[in-house]
Amino acid sequence: MVSDERPSPEGPATFREVFAQREYRAVFAANTLTWVGDYVARAAVTLLVYRETESVALSAAAFAVSYLPWLVGGPLLATIAERHRFRQVMVICDLIRMALMLLVAVPGMPVPVILALLFATTLANPPSQAARSALLPLILPGDRLVVGLSVNSSVGQAAQVVGYLLGAAVATVNPTAALLMNAGAFALSAVLVRLGVRDRPPAMTSAHRSHLLRETAAGFQMVFQTPVLRAIAVLVFSAMLFSIVPEGLAAAWANEHAGENMDPGLAQAVIMAATPTGFILGGLIIGRTVAPARRLLLLRPLAVIAPLALVPALLDPPPVVVALLAAVSGFAVAGLLPTANGLFVQALPDGFRARAFGVMATGVQVIQGAAVLVTGLLAERFPIPLVVGLWSIAGVMLMSLVVLRWPDERTVAASVEIARAASTATDGTIGPARGSQDGSSDESGPGHVGPGRPRHAVP
């Protein structure tokens, strides 16, 4: 039986141990392909729509449409993954996205049809990502899960950079070729998952199903009515509320404050790349070199450091310094997220993996979008350094309150034990206190619910 115990106080799991898992290698390779392919396609579609219409608004709409499914029905779509075999969900979603991207690549396709096809393509993202998230703890036991999540997060950030650069380069010459690359990535991903991942029964059997809306609501109840899960959700949402701001305001910040020594375009690129870079370093360094017990101790200070690192923006530093501040903030967020994810999945009954992921991913999308929108509106009336600095000071106060109210070790342990008991129950009750179980002998680990970043890959 795969262990789902809390991280041991000994040294952390190694990359070798994580990648020794054959199924993880298949999922990792498939995810990396689709992440890069997605960002290639976004760069290509944005350019294609702009060339067809010469409209900045429509070009931006082509970029933004990929986030709409999470906002309009993320938790509901993620609940679908709970009803079916995880491998089946992932393969079917990849094939659907492949077919739709092939249609987008047809020369001469009208822009409204392109936008509709893009929206339809991204409807497959929530169930696919929810199934993958619920599958990971079944593959990676113990601390290997935390290290695996760190690897996924860091590679997701790198995939964004590589995908945008590759997509822009290819799309400039031939946008259709870039779209075909994305379709090919989905096809190869489906093959990798089908051949490399073991088939498992659904987390929720047909006998335990109720109305889809009721099942989705039960996911919200599980997250927000369970004290430990609620505390983790508040921590994650709060971290996202502040760390995204430099990236979201980078264009305006660079053009208004670049000065004579740096080109505004370069300044924007440096600021936007800083948070992902810090995120990559934080996830890999803390996830690999810090012992599990010490990661738990670092969770609280890292939560405060994330907004605190951005407070010096009040002094209106040059873009390079802004980028360094953003990188420190990203480092802190990447350091706390895998630990928070690890605690979350262990306090979560098996039958709620995909639904809880939908709740968390949607919440992060909304939180980050709202943070950029609000700070952007404030920056219309006040200087950007003042807005970011004061916003970050508010973040320090909020995070201080969050960590002060963080549940103690005994409460966390009790919540994990309750979730473990619910996961091994055989009655399949659907509700905030229990989860359904498929009864397989080696799949006792709970599912990962990881925050996704609107402009980065979901871990």
Side-chain angles (χ1 to χ4, degrees):
M1 180 177 293
V2 175
S3 170
D4 62 353
E5 295 178 357
R6 296 182 66 193
S8 68
E10 290 79 20
T14 64
F15 294 136
R16 181 187 298 274
E17 292 172 338
V18 170
F19 282 98
Q21 304 289 331
R22 177 177 177 271
E23 288 185 283
Y24 177 75
R25 294 198 302 270
V27 173
F28 174 82
N31 288 340
T32 302
L33 279 170
T34 56
W35 284 337
V36 173
D38 272 343
Y39 290 119
V40 167
R42 288 181 190 181
V45 168
T46 301
L47 179 59
L48 179 63
V49 171
Y50 183 75
R51 285 180 175 178
E52 291 289 330
T53 65
E54 296 186 354
S55 168
V56 177
L58 286 176
S59 179
F63 182 88
V65 73
S66 61
Y67 303 126
L68 286 179
W70 283 111
L71 300 180
V72 301
L76 191 68
L77 293 168
T79 300
I80 295 174
E82 209 91 73
R83 293 181 162 203
H84 304 281
R85 299 172 182 268
F86 294 142
R87 187 182 74 175
Q88 180 186 45
V89 171
M90 296 168 68
V91 170
I92 290 176
C93 287
D94 278 343
L95 294 178
I96 290 174
R97 290 182 289 187
M98 176 200 71
L100 292 174
M101 288 309 300
L102 288 174
L103 291 177
V104 175
V106 173
M109 189 68 68
V111 170
V113 176
I114 290 177
L115 296 179
L117 288 172
L118 286 176
F119 180 77
T121 301
T122 54
L123 285 174
N125 289 348
S128 176
Q129 293 178 15
R132 179 203 62 186
S133 179
L135 179 64
L136 279 179
L138 307 182
I139 298 172
L140 297 175
D143 193 53
R144 293 178 189 178
L145 174 62
V146 178
V147 175
L149 295 178
S150 297
V151 172
N152 284 1
S153 298
S154 298
V155 171
Q157 303 297 307
Q160 178 192 6
V161 177
V162 173
Y164 281 154
L165 292 177
L166 181 61
V170 175
T172 300
V173 179
N174 189 343
T176 299
L179 296 173
L180 292 176
M181 288 173 58
N182 191 29
F186 284 129
L188 186 53
S189 172
V191 172
L192 288 170
V193 171
R194 177 61 181 81
L195 298 180
V197 175
R198 186 162 61 85
D199 198 20
R200 293 173 171 84
M204 183 190 304
T205 66
S206 57
H208 299 144
R209 292 181 186 176
S210 59
H211 193 281
L212 189 62
L213 290 176
R214 187 176 298 116
E215 293 168 8
T216 303
F220 279 92
Q221 291 173 356
M222 171 59 68
V223 172
F224 293 109
Q225 291 185 8
T226 305
V228 170
L229 296 180
R230 182 173 63 245
I232 296 172
V234 171
L235 175 70
V236 170
F237 292 159
S238 299
M240 297 295 103
L241 188 61
F242 302 96
S243 61
I244 189 64
V245 171
E247 190 176 350
L249 300 183
W253 204 337
N255 281 276
E256 293 181 13
H257 300 270
E260 300 179 357
N261 298 325
M262 180 174 287
D263 176 75
L266 176 60
Q268 177 183 347
V270 168
I271 295 174
M272 293 191 73
T275 301
T277 300
F279 199 94
I280 292 171
L281 294 175
L284 293 178
I285 292 175
I286 295 180
R288 176 61 189 87
T289 64
V290 179
R294 189 170 295 276
R295 285 194 219 119
L296 294 175
L297 296 176
L298 287 176
L299 193 147
R300 287 172 174 163
L302 287 173
V304 177
I305 289 172
L308 181 63
L310 299 173
V311 171
L314 276 171
L315 303 177
D316 192 11
V320 172
V321 177
V322 173
L324 290 174
L325 300 177
V328 173
S329 178
F331 186 99
V333 172
L336 70 88
L337 285 186
T339 302
N341 285 336
L343 292 178
F344 195 103
V345 301
Q346 292 164 66
L348 182 68
D350 287 358
F352 289 86
R353 297 169 186 148
R355 282 175 284 177
F357 172 84
V359 172
M360 293 295 290
T362 301
V364 168
Q365 300 272 359
V366 173
I367 286 289
Q368 290 189 313
V372 173
L373 177 63
V374 172
T375 53
L377 291 174
L378 291 173
E380 289 286 332
R381 299 189 59 183
F382 305 100
I384 292 178
L386 179 65
V387 171
V388 175
L390 293 179
W391 185 264
S392 301
I393 290 174
V396 173
M397 293 187 290
L398 174 60
M399 279 302 203
S400 298
L401 180 61
V402 169
V403 299
L404 285 174
R405 295 179 61 86
W406 185 255
D408 57 37
E409 185 175 354
R410 180 176 300 178
T411 302
V412 173
S415 185
V416 170
E417 289 302 320
I418 292 172
R420 183 177 296 136
S423 297
T424 56
T426 57
D427 61 4
T429 302
I430 301 300
R434 302 186 66 82
S436 58
Q437 168 73 3
D438 59 28
S440 52
S441 62
D442 60 346
E443 298 169 13
S444 61
H448 158 53
V449 178
R453 292 165 55 82
R455 303 194 51 177
H456 307 297
V458 178

